[in-house]
Amino acid sequence: MRATYIYGAGDVRVIDIPDPVITEPTDAIVRVTAACVCGSDLHPFHDMPADPAGRPIGHEFVGVVEEVGADVATISVGDFVIAPFVYSDGTCDFCREGLQTSCRHGGFWGEEPGMGGQAEAVRVPQADGTLVKVDIAPDSALVPSLLTLSDVYSTGWHAAWKGGVAPGKSVTVIGDGAVGLLAVLSAKQLGAERIILMGRHTARTDLGVDFGATDVVAERGDEGVARVRELTGGDGTHVVLEAVGFLGAYEQALGVVRAGGTISRVGVPQYREAPAGRVLFGPNVTLTGGVAPARAYIERLLPGVLDGSVEPGRVFDRELPLDGAPEGYALMDQRAALKVLLRP
């Protein structure tokens, strides 16, 4: 089959590898019908050391079940399924608590050949706990929106949910990538009164306005902080959703959060140290967020996608065949595309 591998910074290739096979009785094989490139995939695209062997990449996919192991009970051949961006057994204590990202028997895609999401097929461990069946045709127009549930929509929701967004709250969203825009959508769904989107790409921020942003701030750094403070009477907002992952974005969040407010970070941090002492302690600011347990949110968010009341799939602005994956990475790296959908 064809699968996307990364060999180092800037070096993404689509190659032939053996078809995945069932290795554990809890496995399933899923034929991928849609996958995509994630903003977090750009981190290894920027800085991964050269690796002659390469490694599979991709963690967002939907598809049709082609084979199941002997112990798989809830998923059947022919089912259309959504795969969250980690696999999990669904039965351990962490899974029962809704923290599937810490599953005692779980893991991440790309750990071995045949387990990268940007491919024609994927071996899915812990299929019963991982996969979410949806009664829909694989060629449905809803597939792009269903695909966002595997990561970016669930991650945007996680940011807003952990941040305590609620009616009457004001929110700042930092970042106009797919996660930031879907954090706007999630904040709107949770009843936020005012949503300030900090981003400078007009096509993206226009979509953010469609999703519910009431204000757009294009400035960054100190200028951006001053503008948000100006819009909020000097106070900042009750909640800040940081969807970028760079230190400057976190520092910006510190600058715009209201006393007694909450910063919720879901951008994968590209730094190891950041201010978290008196800068949080004095104004009683809470820091939360983290890796989104997408599996905990999919069934909650699914009805809105199926009835068309939300359209998170609008974040996809480019579609390519699987063999176009290297082009997709380049387009997203150059900010020429917001999010690239891949069709094997």
Side-chain angles (χ1 to χ4, degrees):
M1 71 170 187
R2 302 288 283 170
T4 307
Y5 269 53
I6 185 166
Y7 290 83
D11 189 359
V12 172
R13 312 174 201 171
V14 181
I15 64 171
D16 291 312
I17 67 168
D19 292 341
V21 297
I22 299 287
T23 60
E24 299 291 338
T26 52
D27 288 350
I29 304 298
V30 173
R31 175 173 55 84
V32 177
T33 58
C36 53
V37 181
C38 184
S40 64
D41 291 330
L42 296 181
H43 296 315
F45 185 75
H46 290 152
D47 57 25
M48 176 180 163
D51 179 358
R55 62 176 176 83
I57 194 167
H59 55 262
E60 300 160 283
F61 64 94
V62 297
V64 177
V65 177
E66 285 202 326
E67 186 179 356
V68 296
D71 291 348
V72 176
T74 63
I75 300 295
S76 302
V77 172
D79 287 346
F80 180 84
V81 292
I82 302 169
F85 69 89
V86 303
Y87 62 87
S88 55
D89 63 21
T91 59
C92 78
D93 51 342
F94 285 116
C95 286
R96 293 195 304 272
E97 294 166 12
L99 196 62
Q100 289 89 339
T101 46
S102 295
C103 176
R104 297 188 186 277
H105 305 104
F108 289 82
W109 306 113
E111 293 176 337
E112 60 182 72
M115 285 182 60
Q118 294 164 15
E120 291 182 323
V122 180
R123 180 177 76 85
V124 178
Q126 307 294 344
D128 280 330
T130 302
L131 298 172
V132 178
K133 176 184 174 181
V134 184
D135 292 322
I136 200 165
D139 61 351
S140 167
L142 293 177
V143 164
S145 286
L146 294 171
L147 179 57
T148 66
L149 291 169
S150 68
D151 184 349
V152 287
Y153 184 17
S154 296
T155 297
W157 180 270
H158 181 64
W161 183 256
K162 292 289 285 184
V165 176
K169 294 288 185 73
S170 57
V171 178
T172 298
V173 176
I174 299 175
D176 59 9
V179 171
L181 296 179
L182 293 174
V184 169
L185 175 64
S186 300
K188 178 67 173 179
Q189 289 180 279
L190 287 167
E193 185 174 276
R194 186 173 201 178
I195 304 171
I196 301 170
L197 173 59
M198 302 191 78
R200 59 179 183 170
H201 303 90
T202 304
R204 300 182 181 193
T205 56
D206 285 350
L207 180 56
V209 171
D210 285 350
F211 281 159
T214 55
D215 304 90
V216 173
V217 171
E219 297 88 349
R220 288 184 173 183
D222 291 342
E223 290 185 359
V225 170
R227 178 60 180 147
V228 173
R229 292 281 177 179
E230 179 185 351
L231 288 170
T232 56
D235 289 339
T237 56
H238 297 96
V239 183
V240 182
L241 310 180
E242 192 275 281
V244 179
F246 292 113
L247 182 59
Y250 173 64
E251 292 173 336
Q252 200 161 277
L254 292 172
V256 301
V257 68
R258 187 179 188 271
T262 299
I263 297 171
S264 182
R265 298 180 307 163
V266 293
V268 181
Q270 300 304 297
Y271 52 88
R272 293 192 176 274
E273 297 182 356
R278 292 190 178 186
V279 69
L280 297 179
F281 184 82
N284 283 280
V285 169
T286 298
L287 180 63
T288 187
V291 183
R295 184 62 183 81
Y297 301 129
I298 290 175
E299 282 144 331
R300 178 171 186 169
L301 300 174
L302 184 58
V305 172
L306 293 177
D307 68 20
S309 58
V310 294
E311 297 181 83
R314 293 178 66 191
V315 296
F316 292 108
D317 58 349
R318 192 68 63 94
E319 183 175 317
L320 296 170
L322 178 62
D323 280 346
E327 179 187 355
Y329 276 80
L331 288 169
M332 287 180 59
D333 184 48
Q334 297 160 8
R335 299 293 193 272
L338 168 58
K339 191 165 179 67
V340 174
L341 188 147
L342 300 172
R343 299 273 192 181

